[in-house]
Amino acid sequence: MPVSQTVPKSNTSAKDALKEKGVRLTRQRQILLDILNSSATHLDAENLYLLARAKDPKLNRVTVYRTLKMLKQGGLVDELDLMHFGGDQHYYESKMKPEHAHIICMRCGRVEEFFGEPLQKLRQQVEQDFGFQILIARTEVGGYCALCRALRAREVQDAAAQGVARA
Amino acid sequence: MPVSQTVPKSNTSAKDALKEKGVRLTRQRQILLDILNSSATHLDAENLYLLARAKDPKLNRVTVYRTLKMLKQGGLVDELDLMHFGGDQHYYESKMKPEHAHIICMRCGRVEEFFGEPLQKLRQQVEQDFGFQILIARTEVGGYCALCRALRAREVQDAAAQGVARA
DNA sequence: GTTAGTGCAAACCTTTTGCAGCTCT
DNA sequence: AGAGCTGCAAAAGGTTTGCACTAAC
């Protein structure tokens, strides 16, 4: 269970990384890793469980939680909250992508990713200023996306029009 | 219950901000606001409840949750996770300080705050790149603080010495 | 006097734990 | 063979909800 922190180099290396750590690559873990690595969206434990169960109906929800915990500890996945839009569950994504922030629209729930340089600058400064060794850095931004801003503006306009009509 | 988003200008304005929104300033809410605004540490719902109960033994835990939810919705407090070091509960801080990141040592639990410019840069870029209207931005960094790095280095050294002695 | 807010109990959702049995190496 | 892992059931932790009563404006 004590899995040391190592950053994986690529998609396929996740399994190798685990093997090197002496973690057993069971059928269940392979299924879960495959789903995590190929998922286009950010999965929470429940959705991951549902997808996994489709491949192996016997796979238990508890195994999902235990696997996620291990992967998180081993630094193979990141844990996100996505601003708790949609509940208090956690979301997971494999760490193959470069570091990025998550931008969550709190109206439609859409999630965008931001890779800009302020993230690296922030890392550097925190390490310098505090003599800190960073293991995880997580930035989440909540607000309204361009589309929803437009829709909201229209709603406000419509409401105003109604108000005028009523007056 | 629908409290619109407004950023408070100072410590004392929190109550004014609520009044302007037509939110009733009950005894319980005053107690909770006072504690939140004067707390040196990041409080979770339970600790806030315990502190509040010291001032009013009848004040209920549920009221704490309801009040926090309202303050969060109204943009008067920020909700933090502090990397879930210490559990899955949420922490709260009043929004009077300028925006800052939280740096959490995952060995000793110490929390530092970082106010550097990369945070503003990030804000600007996200707004520009995505046409996004930011309501909340949250950055949390987990790792080892300078002190714990030193202690860890020493532990490793000691362990190595033991290993040599045993060999 | 109204309507929002509170307290209490009970439910809810997500996640963890204990333990017996199975399985990977 | 044996440690590690899984499944099942049950519990735990944190938070929310329904409802009758109370208090702020």
Side-chain angles (χ1 to χ4, degrees), chain A residues 24 26 28-29 60 63 66:
Chain A
R24 287 193 189 162
T26 61
Q28 292 89 332
R29 286 180 180 166
N60 196 278
T63 298
R66 280 194 282 234

mmCIF file with all atom_site columns, all heavy atoms in Angstrom, chain A residues 24 26 28-29 60 63 66, chain D residues 2-8:
data_model
loop_
_atom_site.group_PDB
_atom_site.id
_atom_site.type_symbol
_atom_site.label_atom_id
_atom_site.label_alt_id
_atom_site.label_comp_id
_atom_site.label_asym_id
_atom_site.label_entity_id
_atom_site.label_seq_id
_atom_site.pdbx_PDB_ins_code
_atom_site.Cartn_x
_atom_site.Cartn_y
_atom_site.Cartn_z
_atom_site.occupancy
_atom_site.B_iso_or_equiv
_atom_site.pdbx_formal_charge
_atom_site.auth_seq_id
_atom_site.auth_comp_id
_atom_site.auth_asym_id
_atom_site.auth_atom_id
_atom_site.pdbx_PDB_model_num
ATOM 1   N N     . ARG A 1 24 ? 0.493   -5.086  -7.462  1.00 0.00 ? 24 ARG A N     1
ATOM 2   C CA    . ARG A 1 24 ? -0.039  -6.131  -8.336  1.00 0.00 ? 24 ARG A CA    1
ATOM 3   C C     . ARG A 1 24 ? -1.012  -5.570  -9.359  1.00 0.00 ? 24 ARG A C     1
ATOM 4   O O     . ARG A 1 24 ? -1.906  -4.808  -9.018  1.00 0.00 ? 24 ARG A O     1
ATOM 5   C CB    . ARG A 1 24 ? -0.771  -7.186  -7.507  1.00 0.00 ? 24 ARG A CB    1
ATOM 6   C CG    . ARG A 1 24 ? 0.179   -8.055  -6.746  1.00 0.00 ? 24 ARG A CG    1
ATOM 7   C CD    . ARG A 1 24 ? -0.523  -9.255  -6.192  1.00 0.00 ? 24 ARG A CD    1
ATOM 8   N NE    . ARG A 1 24 ? 0.350   -9.968  -5.295  1.00 0.00 ? 24 ARG A NE    1
ATOM 9   C CZ    . ARG A 1 24 ? -0.072  -10.853 -4.400  1.00 0.00 ? 24 ARG A CZ    1
ATOM 10  N NH1   . ARG A 1 24 ? -1.363  -11.120 -4.291  1.00 0.00 ? 24 ARG A NH1   1
ATOM 11  N NH2   . ARG A 1 24 ? 0.775   -11.461 -3.620  1.00 0.00 ? 24 ARG A NH2   1
ATOM 12  N N     . THR A 1 26 ? -3.820  -6.337  -11.059 1.00 0.00 ? 26 THR A N     1
ATOM 13  C CA    . THR A 1 26 ? -4.956  -7.248  -11.143 1.00 0.00 ? 26 THR A CA    1
ATOM 14  C C     . THR A 1 26 ? -5.880  -6.865  -12.296 1.00 0.00 ? 26 THR A C     1
ATOM 15  O O     . THR A 1 26 ? -5.795  -5.766  -12.843 1.00 0.00 ? 26 THR A O     1
ATOM 16  C CB    . THR A 1 26 ? -5.764  -7.214  -9.847  1.00 0.00 ? 26 THR A CB    1
ATOM 17  O OG1   . THR A 1 26 ? -6.254  -5.879  -9.654  1.00 0.00 ? 26 THR A OG1   1
ATOM 18  C CG2   . THR A 1 26 ? -4.906  -7.578  -8.662  1.00 0.00 ? 26 THR A CG2   1
ATOM 19  N N     . GLN A 1 28 ? -8.940  -6.084  -12.145 1.00 0.00 ? 28 GLN A N     1
ATOM 20  C CA    . GLN A 1 28 ? -9.721  -4.915  -11.769 1.00 0.00 ? 28 GLN A CA    1
ATOM 21  C C     . GLN A 1 28 ? -8.943  -3.620  -11.987 1.00 0.00 ? 28 GLN A C     1
ATOM 22  O O     . GLN A 1 28 ? -9.466  -2.641  -12.531 1.00 0.00 ? 28 GLN A O     1
ATOM 23  C CB    . GLN A 1 28 ? -10.130 -5.016  -10.302 1.00 0.00 ? 28 GLN A CB    1
ATOM 24  C CG    . GLN A 1 28 ? -11.125 -6.112  -9.988  1.00 0.00 ? 28 GLN A CG    1
ATOM 25  C CD    . GLN A 1 28 ? -10.453 -7.437  -9.653  1.00 0.00 ? 28 GLN A CD    1
ATOM 26  O OE1   . GLN A 1 28 ? -9.352  -7.734  -10.105 1.00 0.00 ? 28 GLN A OE1   1
ATOM 27  N NE2   . GLN A 1 28 ? -11.123 -8.266  -8.868  1.00 0.00 ? 28 GLN A NE2   1
ATOM 28  N N     . ARG A 1 29 ? -7.691  -3.634  -11.583 1.00 0.00 ? 29 ARG A N     1
ATOM 29  C CA    . ARG A 1 29 ? -6.889  -2.412  -11.728 1.00 0.00 ? 29 ARG A CA    1
ATOM 30  C C     . ARG A 1 29 ? -6.625  -2.080  -13.176 1.00 0.00 ? 29 ARG A C     1
ATOM 31  O O     . ARG A 1 29 ? -6.588  -0.911  -13.548 1.00 0.00 ? 29 ARG A O     1
ATOM 32  C CB    . ARG A 1 29 ? -5.578  -2.589  -10.968 1.00 0.00 ? 29 ARG A CB    1
ATOM 33  C CG    . ARG A 1 29 ? -5.802  -2.507  -9.483  1.00 0.00 ? 29 ARG A CG    1
ATOM 34  C CD    . ARG A 1 29 ? -4.527  -2.686  -8.696  1.00 0.00 ? 29 ARG A CD    1
ATOM 35  N NE    . ARG A 1 29 ? -4.801  -2.599  -7.267  1.00 0.00 ? 29 ARG A NE    1
ATOM 36  C CZ    . ARG A 1 29 ? -3.947  -2.970  -6.322  1.00 0.00 ? 29 ARG A CZ    1
ATOM 37  N NH1   . ARG A 1 29 ? -2.765  -3.436  -6.650  1.00 0.00 ? 29 ARG A NH1   1
ATOM 38  N NH2   . ARG A 1 29 ? -4.266  -2.856  -5.050  1.00 0.00 ? 29 ARG A NH2   1
ATOM 39  N N     . ASN A 1 60 ? -16.335 -4.380  -7.598  1.00 0.00 ? 60 ASN A N     1
ATOM 40  C CA    . ASN A 1 60 ? -17.035 -3.702  -6.513  1.00 0.00 ? 60 ASN A CA    1
ATOM 41  C C     . ASN A 1 60 ? -16.682 -2.224  -6.398  1.00 0.00 ? 60 ASN A C     1
ATOM 42  O O     . ASN A 1 60 ? -15.553 -1.814  -6.678  1.00 0.00 ? 60 ASN A O     1
ATOM 43  C CB    . ASN A 1 60 ? -16.702 -4.414  -5.207  1.00 0.00 ? 60 ASN A CB    1
ATOM 44  C CG    . ASN A 1 60 ? -17.670 -4.042  -4.115  1.00 0.00 ? 60 ASN A CG    1
ATOM 45  O OD1   . ASN A 1 60 ? -17.519 -3.009  -3.492  1.00 0.00 ? 60 ASN A OD1   1
ATOM 46  N ND2   . ASN A 1 60 ? -18.689 -4.870  -3.918  1.00 0.00 ? 60 ASN A ND2   1
ATOM 47  N N     . THR A 1 63 ? -13.587 -1.434  -4.462  1.00 0.00 ? 63 THR A N     1
ATOM 48  C CA    . THR A 1 63 ? -12.328 -1.596  -5.183  1.00 0.00 ? 63 THR A CA    1
ATOM 49  C C     . THR A 1 63 ? -11.981 -0.324  -5.946  1.00 0.00 ? 63 THR A C     1
ATOM 50  O O     . THR A 1 63 ? -10.818 0.060   -6.042  1.00 0.00 ? 63 THR A O     1
ATOM 51  C CB    . THR A 1 63 ? -12.426 -2.790  -6.156  1.00 0.00 ? 63 THR A CB    1
ATOM 52  O OG1   . THR A 1 63 ? -12.661 -3.968  -5.383  1.00 0.00 ? 63 THR A OG1   1
ATOM 53  C CG2   . THR A 1 63 ? -11.151 -2.953  -6.951  1.00 0.00 ? 63 THR A CG2   1
ATOM 54  N N     . ARG A 1 66 ? -10.607 2.077   -3.399  1.00 0.00 ? 66 ARG A N     1
ATOM 55  C CA    . ARG A 1 66 ? -9.272  1.684   -2.952  1.00 0.00 ? 66 ARG A CA    1
ATOM 56  C C     . ARG A 1 66 ? -8.229  1.926   -4.041  1.00 0.00 ? 66 ARG A C     1
ATOM 57  O O     . ARG A 1 66 ? -7.117  2.384   -3.767  1.00 0.00 ? 66 ARG A O     1
ATOM 58  C CB    . ARG A 1 66 ? -9.285  0.219   -2.508  1.00 0.00 ? 66 ARG A CB    1
ATOM 59  C CG    . ARG A 1 66 ? -9.845  0.093   -1.088  1.00 0.00 ? 66 ARG A CG    1
ATOM 60  C CD    . ARG A 1 66 ? -9.568  -1.273  -0.489  1.00 0.00 ? 66 ARG A CD    1
ATOM 61  N NE    . ARG A 1 66 ? -10.474 -2.289  -0.994  1.00 0.00 ? 66 ARG A NE    1
ATOM 62  C CZ    . ARG A 1 66 ? -11.225 -3.099  -0.219  1.00 0.00 ? 66 ARG A CZ    1
ATOM 63  N NH1   . ARG A 1 66 ? -11.160 -3.005  1.089   1.00 0.00 ? 66 ARG A NH1   1
ATOM 64  N NH2   . ARG A 1 66 ? -12.024 -3.982  -0.751  1.00 0.00 ? 66 ARG A NH2   1
ATOM 65  P P     . DG  D 2 2  ? 4.003   -20.308 3.812   1.00 0.00 ? 2  DG  D P     1
ATOM 66  O OP1   . DG  D 2 2  ? 5.284   -20.317 4.549   1.00 0.00 ? 2  DG  D OP1   1
ATOM 67  O OP2   . DG  D 2 2  ? 2.759   -20.832 4.410   1.00 0.00 ? 2  DG  D OP2   1
ATOM 68  O "O5'" . DG  D 2 2  ? 3.723   -18.809 3.342   1.00 0.00 ? 2  DG  D "O5'" 1
ATOM 69  C "C5'" . DG  D 2 2  ? 4.663   -18.158 2.470   1.00 0.00 ? 2  DG  D "C5'" 1
ATOM 70  C "C4'" . DG  D 2 2  ? 4.061   -16.835 2.025   1.00 0.00 ? 2  DG  D "C4'" 1
ATOM 71  O "O4'" . DG  D 2 2  ? 3.203   -17.071 0.886   1.00 0.00 ? 2  DG  D "O4'" 1
ATOM 72  C "C3'" . DG  D 2 2  ? 3.183   -16.176 3.092   1.00 0.00 ? 2  DG  D "C3'" 1
ATOM 73  O "O3'" . DG  D 2 2  ? 3.508   -14.805 3.128   1.00 0.00 ? 2  DG  D "O3'" 1
ATOM 74  C "C2'" . DG  D 2 2  ? 1.760   -16.379 2.579   1.00 0.00 ? 2  DG  D "C2'" 1
ATOM 75  C "C1'" . DG  D 2 2  ? 1.990   -16.355 1.080   1.00 0.00 ? 2  DG  D "C1'" 1
ATOM 76  N N9    . DG  D 2 2  ? 0.962   -17.039 0.300   1.00 0.00 ? 2  DG  D N9    1
ATOM 77  C C8    . DG  D 2 2  ? 0.148   -18.079 0.702   1.00 0.00 ? 2  DG  D C8    1
ATOM 78  N N7    . DG  D 2 2  ? -0.668  -18.479 -0.224  1.00 0.00 ? 2  DG  D N7    1
ATOM 79  C C5    . DG  D 2 2  ? -0.392  -17.659 -1.310  1.00 0.00 ? 2  DG  D C5    1
ATOM 80  C C6    . DG  D 2 2  ? -0.979  -17.610 -2.592  1.00 0.00 ? 2  DG  D C6    1
ATOM 81  O O6    . DG  D 2 2  ? -1.870  -18.325 -3.053  1.00 0.00 ? 2  DG  D O6    1
ATOM 82  N N1    . DG  D 2 2  ? -0.410  -16.615 -3.373  1.00 0.00 ? 2  DG  D N1    1
ATOM 83  C C2    . DG  D 2 2  ? 0.592   -15.768 -2.975  1.00 0.00 ? 2  DG  D C2    1
ATOM 84  N N2    . DG  D 2 2  ? 1.009   -14.879 -3.863  1.00 0.00 ? 2  DG  D N2    1
ATOM 85  N N3    . DG  D 2 2  ? 1.148   -15.799 -1.764  1.00 0.00 ? 2  DG  D N3    1
ATOM 86  C C4    . DG  D 2 2  ? 0.603   -16.759 -0.992  1.00 0.00 ? 2  DG  D C4    1
ATOM 87  P P     . DA  D 2 3  ? 3.180   -13.954 4.445   1.00 0.00 ? 3  DA  D P     1
ATOM 88  O OP1   . DA  D 2 3  ? 4.295   -14.028 5.393   1.00 0.00 ? 3  DA  D OP1   1
ATOM 89  O OP2   . DA  D 2 3  ? 1.820   -14.318 4.871   1.00 0.00 ? 3  DA  D OP2   1
ATOM 90  O "O5'" . DA  D 2 3  ? 3.150   -12.492 3.816   1.00 0.00 ? 3  DA  D "O5'" 1
ATOM 91  C "C5'" . DA  D 2 3  ? 4.153   -12.117 2.887   1.00 0.00 ? 3  DA  D "C5'" 1
ATOM 92  C "C4'" . DA  D 2 3  ? 3.503   -11.355 1.745   1.00 0.00 ? 3  DA  D "C4'" 1
ATOM 93  O "O4'" . DA  D 2 3  ? 2.571   -12.211 1.044   1.00 0.00 ? 3  DA  D "O4'" 1
ATOM 94  C "C3'" . DA  D 2 3  ? 2.724   -10.115 2.191   1.00 0.00 ? 3  DA  D "C3'" 1
ATOM 95  O "O3'" . DA  D 2 3  ? 3.118   -9.039  1.360   1.00 0.00 ? 3  DA  D "O3'" 1
ATOM 96  C "C2'" . DA  D 2 3  ? 1.259   -10.511 2.022   1.00 0.00 ? 3  DA  D "C2'" 1
ATOM 97  C "C1'" . DA  D 2 3  ? 1.317   -11.559 0.912   1.00 0.00 ? 3  DA  D "C1'" 1
ATOM 98  N N9    . DA  D 2 3  ? 0.284   -12.589 1.028   1.00 0.00 ? 3  DA  D N9    1
ATOM 99  C C8    . DA  D 2 3  ? -0.116  -13.250 2.151   1.00 0.00 ? 3  DA  D C8    1
ATOM 100 N N7    . DA  D 2 3  ? -1.061  -14.132 1.945   1.00 0.00 ? 3  DA  D N7    1
ATOM 101 C C5    . DA  D 2 3  ? -1.313  -14.041 0.587   1.00 0.00 ? 3  DA  D C5    1
ATOM 102 C C6    . DA  D 2 3  ? -2.212  -14.722 -0.259  1.00 0.00 ? 3  DA  D C6    1
ATOM 103 N N6    . DA  D 2 3  ? -3.053  -15.655 0.168   1.00 0.00 ? 3  DA  D N6    1
ATOM 104 N N1    . DA  D 2 3  ? -2.198  -14.390 -1.565  1.00 0.00 ? 3  DA  D N1    1
ATOM 105 C C2    . DA  D 2 3  ? -1.347  -13.444 -1.996  1.00 0.00 ? 3  DA  D C2    1
ATOM 106 N N3    . DA  D 2 3  ? -0.455  -12.738 -1.291  1.00 0.00 ? 3  DA  D N3    1
ATOM 107 C C4    . DA  D 2 3  ? -0.490  -13.095 0.000   1.00 0.00 ? 3  DA  D C4    1
ATOM 108 P P     . DG  D 2 4  ? 2.435   -7.627  1.445   1.00 0.00 ? 4  DG  D P     1
ATOM 109 O OP1   . DG  D 2 4  ? 3.425   -6.613  1.012   1.00 0.00 ? 4  DG  D OP1   1
ATOM 110 O OP2   . DG  D 2 4  ? 1.747   -7.558  2.745   1.00 0.00 ? 4  DG  D OP2   1
ATOM 111 O "O5'" . DG  D 2 4  ? 1.336   -7.735  0.307   1.00 0.00 ? 4  DG  D "O5'" 1
ATOM 112 C "C5'" . DG  D 2 4  ? 1.736   -8.109  -0.999  1.00 0.00 ? 4  DG  D "C5'" 1
ATOM 113 C "C4'" . DG  D 2 4  ? 0.545   -8.016  -1.926  1.00 0.00 ? 4  DG  D "C4'" 1
ATOM 114 O "O4'" . DG  D 2 4  ? -0.340  -9.143  -1.681  1.00 0.00 ? 4  DG  D "O4'" 1
ATOM 115 C "C3'" . DG  D 2 4  ? -0.308  -6.775  -1.727  1.00 0.00 ? 4  DG  D "C3'" 1
ATOM 116 O "O3'" . DG  D 2 4  ? -0.709  -6.374  -3.021  1.00 0.00 ? 4  DG  D "O3'" 1
ATOM 117 C "C2'" . DG  D 2 4  ? -1.479  -7.265  -0.889  1.00 0.00 ? 4  DG  D "C2'" 1
ATOM 118 C "C1'" . DG  D 2 4  ? -1.640  -8.677  -1.429  1.00 0.00 ? 4  DG  D "C1'" 1
ATOM 119 N N9    . DG  D 2 4  ? -2.262  -9.641  -0.532  1.00 0.00 ? 4  DG  D N9    1
ATOM 120 C C8    . DG  D 2 4  ? -1.991  -9.840  0.798   1.00 0.00 ? 4  DG  D C8    1
ATOM 121 N N7    . DG  D 2 4  ? -2.699  -10.804 1.329   1.00 0.00 ? 4  DG  D N7    1
ATOM 122 C C5    . DG  D 2 4  ? -3.483  -11.268 0.285   1.00 0.00 ? 4  DG  D C5    1
ATOM 123 C C6    . DG  D 2 4  ? -4.456  -12.307 0.264   1.00 0.00 ? 4  DG  D C6    1
ATOM 124 O O6    . DG  D 2 4  ? -4.811  -13.037 1.171   1.00 0.00 ? 4  DG  D O6    1
ATOM 125 N N1    . DG  D 2 4  ? -5.021  -12.443 -1.004  1.00 0.00 ? 4  DG  D N1    1
ATOM 126 C C2    . DG  D 2 4  ? -4.688  -11.679 -2.101  1.00 0.00 ? 4  DG  D C2    1
ATOM 127 N N2    . DG  D 2 4  ? -5.332  -11.939 -3.231  1.00 0.00 ? 4  DG  D N2    1
ATOM 128 N N3    . DG  D 2 4  ? -3.778  -10.712 -2.085  1.00 0.00 ? 4  DG  D N3    1
ATOM 129 C C4    . DG  D 2 4  ? -3.229  -10.560 -0.861  1.00 0.00 ? 4  DG  D C4    1
ATOM 130 P P     . DC  D 2 5  ? -1.537  -5.103  -3.281  1.00 0.00 ? 5  DC  D P     1
ATOM 131 O OP1   . DC  D 2 5  ? -1.029  -4.540  -4.545  1.00 0.00 ? 5  DC  D OP1   1
ATOM 132 O OP2   . DC  D 2 5  ? -1.587  -4.310  -2.043  1.00 0.00 ? 5  DC  D OP2   1
ATOM 133 O "O5'" . DC  D 2 5  ? -2.976  -5.719  -3.557  1.00 0.00 ? 5  DC  D "O5'" 1
ATOM 134 C "C5'" . DC  D 2 5  ? -3.106  -6.654  -4.608  1.00 0.00 ? 5  DC  D "C5'" 1
ATOM 135 C "C4'" . DC  D 2 5  ? -4.547  -7.095  -4.745  1.00 0.00 ? 5  DC  D "C4'" 1
ATOM 136 O "O4'" . DC  D 2 5  ? -4.846  -8.023  -3.692  1.00 0.00 ? 5  DC  D "O4'" 1
ATOM 137 C "C3'" . DC  D 2 5  ? -5.594  -5.975  -4.668  1.00 0.00 ? 5  DC  D "C3'" 1
ATOM 138 O "O3'" . DC  D 2 5  ? -6.372  -6.035  -5.849  1.00 0.00 ? 5  DC  D "O3'" 1
ATOM 139 C "C2'" . DC  D 2 5  ? -6.379  -6.280  -3.399  1.00 0.00 ? 5  DC  D "C2'" 1
ATOM 140 C "C1'" . DC  D 2 5  ? -6.144  -7.782  -3.220  1.00 0.00 ? 5  DC  D "C1'" 1
ATOM 141 N N1    . DC  D 2 5  ? -6.174  -8.278  -1.803  1.00 0.00 ? 5  DC  D N1    1
ATOM 142 C C2    . DC  D 2 5  ? -7.048  -9.318  -1.451  1.00 0.00 ? 5  DC  D C2    1
ATOM 143 O O2    . DC  D 2 5  ? -7.791  -9.793  -2.312  1.00 0.00 ? 5  DC  D O2    1
ATOM 144 N N3    . DC  D 2 5  ? -7.059  -9.763  -0.168  1.00 0.00 ? 5  DC  D N3    1
ATOM 145 C C4    . DC  D 2 5  ? -6.244  -9.227  0.729   1.00 0.00 ? 5  DC  D C4    1
ATOM 146 N N4    . DC  D 2 5  ? -6.287  -9.713  1.970   1.00 0.00 ? 5  DC  D N4    1
ATOM 147 C C5    . DC  D 2 5  ? -5.339  -8.165  0.400   1.00 0.00 ? 5  DC  D C5    1
ATOM 148 C C6    . DC  D 2 5  ? -5.342  -7.722  -0.872  1.00 0.00 ? 5  DC  D C6    1
ATOM 149 P P     . DT  D 2 6  ? -7.717  -5.191  -5.984  1.00 0.00 ? 6  DT  D P     1
ATOM 150 O OP1   . DT  D 2 6  ? -7.907  -4.933  -7.412  1.00 0.00 ? 6  DT  D OP1   1
ATOM 151 O OP2   . DT  D 2 6  ? -7.710  -4.085  -5.011  1.00 0.00 ? 6  DT  D OP2   1
ATOM 152 O "O5'" . DT  D 2 6  ? -8.796  -6.258  -5.510  1.00 0.00 ? 6  DT  D "O5'" 1
ATOM 153 C "C5'" . DT  D 2 6  ? -9.128  -7.337  -6.380  1.00 0.00 ? 6  DT  D "C5'" 1
ATOM 154 C "C4'" . DT  D 2 6  ? -10.329 -8.079  -5.817  1.00 0.00 ? 6  DT  D "C4'" 1
ATOM 155 O "O4'" . DT  D 2 6  ? -10.023 -8.468  -4.458  1.00 0.00 ? 6  DT  D "O4'" 1
ATOM 156 C "C3'" . DT  D 2 6  ? -11.606 -7.237  -5.762  1.00 0.00 ? 6  DT  D "C3'" 1
ATOM 157 O "O3'" . DT  D 2 6  ? -12.593 -7.895  -6.551  1.00 0.00 ? 6  DT  D "O3'" 1
ATOM 158 C "C2'" . DT  D 2 6  ? -11.986 -7.178  -4.287  1.00 0.00 ? 6  DT  D "C2'" 1
ATOM 159 C "C1'" . DT  D 2 6  ? -11.156 -8.295  -3.655  1.00 0.00 ? 6  DT  D "C1'" 1
ATOM 160 N N1    . DT  D 2 6  ? -10.621 -8.016  -2.279  1.00 0.00 ? 6  DT  D N1    1
ATOM 161 C C2    . DT  D 2 6  ? -10.994 -8.829  -1.264  1.00 0.00 ? 6  DT  D C2    1
ATOM 162 O O2    . DT  D 2 6  ? -11.762 -9.775  -1.398  1.00 0.00 ? 6  DT  D O2    1
ATOM 163 N N3    . DT  D 2 6  ? -10.439 -8.516  -0.044  1.00 0.00 ? 6  DT  D N3    1
ATOM 164 C C4    . DT  D 2 6  ? -9.562  -7.482  0.230   1.00 0.00 ? 6  DT  D C4    1
ATOM 165 O O4    . DT  D 2 6  ? -9.120  -7.298  1.357   1.00 0.00 ? 6  DT  D O4    1
ATOM 166 C C5    . DT  D 2 6  ? -9.214  -6.654  -0.888  1.00 0.00 ? 6  DT  D C5    1
ATOM 167 C C7    . DT  D 2 6  ? -8.275  -5.502  -0.710  1.00 0.00 ? 6  DT  D C7    1
ATOM 168 C C6    . DT  D 2 6  ? -9.750  -6.945  -2.087  1.00 0.00 ? 6  DT  D C6    1
ATOM 169 P P     . DG  D 2 7  ? -13.930 -7.185  -6.919  1.00 0.00 ? 7  DG  D P     1
ATOM 170 O OP1   . DG  D 2 7  ? -14.390 -7.687  -8.227  1.00 0.00 ? 7  DG  D OP1   1
ATOM 171 O OP2   . DG  D 2 7  ? -13.756 -5.732  -6.704  1.00 0.00 ? 7  DG  D OP2   1
ATOM 172 O "O5'" . DG  D 2 7  ? -14.900 -7.742  -5.778  1.00 0.00 ? 7  DG  D "O5'" 1
ATOM 173 C "C5'" . DG  D 2 7  ? -15.200 -9.121  -5.746  1.00 0.00 ? 7  DG  D "C5'" 1
ATOM 174 C "C4'" . DG  D 2 7  ? -16.043 -9.443  -4.519  1.00 0.00 ? 7  DG  D "C4'" 1
ATOM 175 O "O4'" . DG  D 2 7  ? -15.269 -9.202  -3.325  1.00 0.00 ? 7  DG  D "O4'" 1
ATOM 176 C "C3'" . DG  D 2 7  ? -17.320 -8.613  -4.394  1.00 0.00 ? 7  DG  D "C3'" 1
ATOM 177 O "O3'" . DG  D 2 7  ? -18.388 -9.539  -4.198  1.00 0.00 ? 7  DG  D "O3'" 1
ATOM 178 C "C2'" . DG  D 2 7  ? -17.085 -7.734  -3.170  1.00 0.00 ? 7  DG  D "C2'" 1
ATOM 179 C "C1'" . DG  D 2 7  ? -16.044 -8.506  -2.382  1.00 0.00 ? 7  DG  D "C1'" 1
ATOM 180 N N9    . DG  D 2 7  ? -15.078 -7.716  -1.618  1.00 0.00 ? 7  DG  D N9    1
ATOM 181 C C8    . DG  D 2 7  ? -14.372 -6.627  -2.072  1.00 0.00 ? 7  DG  D C8    1
ATOM 182 N N7    . DG  D 2 7  ? -13.542 -6.140  -1.189  1.00 0.00 ? 7  DG  D N7    1
ATOM 183 C C5    . DG  D 2 7  ? -13.719 -6.952  -0.073  1.00 0.00 ? 7  DG  D C5    1
ATOM 184 C C6    . DG  D 2 7  ? -13.088 -6.900  1.200   1.00 0.00 ? 7  DG  D C6    1
ATOM 185 O O6    . DG  D 2 7  ? -12.230 -6.116  1.594   1.00 0.00 ? 7  DG  D O6    1
ATOM 186 N N1    . DG  D 2 7  ? -13.554 -7.913  2.051   1.00 0.00 ? 7  DG  D N1    1
ATOM 187 C C2    . DG  D 2 7  ? -14.497 -8.852  1.692   1.00 0.00 ? 7  DG  D C2    1
ATOM 188 N N2    . DG  D 2 7  ? -14.822 -9.745  2.627   1.00 0.00 ? 7  DG  D N2    1
ATOM 189 N N3    . DG  D 2 7  ? -15.102 -8.907  0.505   1.00 0.00 ? 7  DG  D N3    1
ATOM 190 C C4    . DG  D 2 7  ? -14.663 -7.933  -0.318  1.00 0.00 ? 7  DG  D C4    1
ATOM 191 P P     . DC  D 2 8  ? -19.891 -9.127  -4.354  1.00 0.00 ? 8  DC  D P     1
ATOM 192 O OP1   . DC  D 2 8  ? -20.604 -10.279 -4.940  1.00 0.00 ? 8  DC  D OP1   1
ATOM 193 O OP2   . DC  D 2 8  ? -19.949 -7.807  -5.015  1.00 0.00 ? 8  DC  D OP2   1
ATOM 194 O "O5'" . DC  D 2 8  ? -20.372 -8.959  -2.836  1.00 0.00 ? 8  DC  D "O5'" 1
ATOM 195 C "C5'" . DC  D 2 8  ? -20.307 -10.083 -1.953  1.00 0.00 ? 8  DC  D "C5'" 1
ATOM 196 C "C4'" . DC  D 2 8  ? -20.431 -9.626  -0.510  1.00 0.00 ? 8  DC  D "C4'" 1
ATOM 197 O "O4'" . DC  D 2 8  ? -19.215 -8.985  -0.089  1.00 0.00 ? 8  DC  D "O4'" 1
ATOM 198 C "C3'" . DC  D 2 8  ? -21.557 -8.625  -0.260  1.00 0.00 ? 8  DC  D "C3'" 1
ATOM 199 O "O3'" . DC  D 2 8  ? -22.494 -9.208  0.626   1.00 0.00 ? 8  DC  D "O3'" 1
ATOM 200 C "C2'" . DC  D 2 8  ? -20.862 -7.416  0.348   1.00 0.00 ? 8  DC  D "C2'" 1
ATOM 201 C "C1'" . DC  D 2 8  ? -19.560 -8.024  0.877   1.00 0.00 ? 8  DC  D "C1'" 1
ATOM 202 N N1    . DC  D 2 8  ? -18.451 -7.065  0.962   1.00 0.00 ? 8  DC  D N1    1
ATOM 203 C C2    . DC  D 2 8  ? -17.635 -7.060  2.107   1.00 0.00 ? 8  DC  D C2    1
ATOM 204 O O2    . DC  D 2 8  ? -17.867 -7.862  3.007   1.00 0.00 ? 8  DC  D O2    1
ATOM 205 N N3    . DC  D 2 8  ? -16.614 -6.171  2.176   1.00 0.00 ? 8  DC  D N3    1
ATOM 206 C C4    . DC  D 2 8  ? -16.398 -5.318  1.173   1.00 0.00 ? 8  DC  D C4    1
ATOM 207 N N4    . DC  D 2 8  ? -15.379 -4.478  1.291   1.00 0.00 ? 8  DC  D N4    1
ATOM 208 C C5    . DC  D 2 8  ? -17.224 -5.303  0.000   1.00 0.00 ? 8  DC  D C5    1
ATOM 209 C C6    . DC  D 2 8  ? -18.227 -6.192  -0.059  1.00 0.00 ? 8  DC  D C6    1
#
